[in-house]
Amino acid sequence: MKFSFSSALITLSLVFSGIDAKTVWKPKQGDSWNYVLESNSFNLSKEKANVLDMDFNIKQSLINNIHKANKKVICYFSGGTIEDHRDDKKKFYNVKGLVGSVYDGWESERWLDIRKKELKPLIQNRMQIAANKGCDAIEVDNLDGYSQPENKKLKLTKQDEINYAIWLANTAHSLGLSIGLKNSLFMINEVGKYFDFAINESCVNYNECKNYKNFLNQGKAVFGITYGNVNKLKSKICQNTSGLNISMIVKVSQSLVQEGTTFNISSQCKSNVKTTTTKKTTKKTTTTKKPVTTKKTTTTKKPVTTKKITTTKKPITTKKITTTKKPVTTKKITTTKKPITTKKTTKKTTTTKKTTKKTTKKITTTKKTTKKTTKKTVKVVKVAKKN
Ligand SMILES: *[C@@H]1O[C@H](CO)[C@@H](O)[C@H](O)[C@H]1NC(C)=O
Ligand SMILES: *[C@@H]1O[C@H](CO)[C@@H](O)[C@H](O)[C@H]1NC(C)=O
Ligand SMILES: *[C@@H]1O[C@H](CO)[C@@H](O)[C@H](O)[C@H]1NC(C)=O
Ligand SMILES: *[C@@H]1O[C@H](CO)[C@@H](O)[C@H](O)[C@H]1NC(C)=O
Ligand SMILES: *[C@@H]1O[C@H](CO)[C@@H](O)[C@H](O)[C@H]1NC(C)=O
């Protein structure tokens, strides 16, 4: 009953309000964040970040405590794949043709046919649970299935991903949830306006943070994560985020535990800040208008204009990152690296991204589930050693 009622509500509100999300929480640019999908040993009293991205399964009591501490929670689940450990997975398997091939490298996940209408109530149900629990926002992962070689059978198209992403955003908003676009930069121009913020892994490594320029110019927050040693990465992060007000967290490994270093671009990249402050001319106003969000993020945007700081030691940083990833990824390494080298091809980028993502997830899954497969264990151990 509850379900039909909320469906009706959703339908109604979509009809009348479209993407209107005024009442939904919108993170601000510059908010500090932490990515803690693995929260078993999460200790709120030592957490400094204001925005926490945690697994959808976290307990309501933790969410309540996070709110008491004046922080916000983004709840993570995959919407493009079915994850083995989700309570509702049977319902997905019960829909004929919905569950497809294994996500290459992520044996605990399978691609979903995101065009199936039967998928919508299942996802909507999760969103409702998130809303009921008090999640302020959701992050829906794996919206790039159309480009995955192992997922060819489903013959998904970019347009399918776009349609699904827009539906996700509208549905989240109708339930009072904010929603972030996870990776999937290939459609940011088409769907960016429907989303309230974005989350990105490794844009610094791939020299792609600048692809968020337009999105940032809409006044929306971008939460980035970089893996590696923060001291060694500093100049690289500063260079790559020059003029881009991305909230960055740095973690030594791709295991998304609480430990990490908030990287404050304003205070740690002096030249970025100066540039930003000084350059505020007139220009921005024009750029700013399109954004649905309205507010004039004026201060922030100009930075885009910034010159690329000449200083740095790119080589050093680059290398290390590479080193870090290989171990983690293990088997996929072969696949992964090629892309990196090639970088300029669109495909490569995609592949690379996935790897990053996958690694993170696997680790998370492994720990949570306890059912460690041999392979996974190996990966985890390796990660630990690296650090
Ligand atoms: C949580 O962190 C606080 C502050 O650092 C510390 O005093 C407390 O012992 C920690 N709690 C646990 C269970 O580790
Ligand atoms: C990012 O935006 C926040 C909020 O507007 C602002 O305080 C901060 O100075 C900005 N940082 C940069 C590097 O532009
Ligand atoms: C980042 O540093 C700036 C300048 O020191 C400061 O105003 C701002 O509050 C810091 N942001 C966070 C999230 O700590
Ligand atoms: C990002 O960092 C890399 C490595 O330091 C560098 O080669 C590249 O030019 C940077 N990109 C930008 C936009 O600054
Ligand atoms: C992060 O964003 C960049 C564009 O800014 C994108 O090219 C990259 O693929 C994203 N990272 C991941 C892991 O998708």
Side-chain angles (χ1 to χ4, degrees), residues 28-31 241-247 264-267 269 272-274 276-277 280 284 296-303:
K28 292 193 298 290
Q29 287 181 5
D31 278 352
T241 58
S242 177
L244 303 170
N245 201 345
I246 294 178
S247 303
N264 185 333
I265 293 169
S266 302
S267 62
C269 303
N272 285 9
V273 176
K274 278 176 195 168
T276 309
T277 318
K280 300 190 175 182
K284 289 190 171 181
K296 322 209 164 172
T297 320
T298 319
T299 320
T300 315
K301 290 153 191 187
K302 296 164 189 179

Side-chain angles (χ1 to χ4, degrees), residues 12-37:
L12 273 180
S13 58
L14 288 182
V15 168
F16 293 116
S17 64
I19 59 165
D20 182 13
K22 276 176 202 157
T23 59
V24 158
W25 168 65
K26 290 173 195 279
K28 292 193 298 290
Q29 287 181 5
D31 278 352
S32 56
W33 85 299
N34 198 359
Y35 208 2
V36 195
L37 293 187

Side-chain angles (χ1 to χ4, degrees), residues 144 182-186 188 199-204 206-213 222 227 246 349-357:
D144 57 354
K182 171 67 175 299
N183 294 332
S184 298
L185 265 293
F186 68 89
I188 195 164
I199 293 176
N200 180 274
E201 290 175 283
S202 306
C203 72
V204 167
Y206 304 123
N207 191 15
E208 292 172 333
C209 298
K210 57 184 185 288
N211 297 357
Y212 278 107
K213 197 162 93 175
V222 174
Y227 303 105
I246 294 178
T349 310
T350 311
T351 314
T352 311
K353 292 170 188 178
K354 288 177 189 172
T355 311
T356 311
K357 218 195 273 174

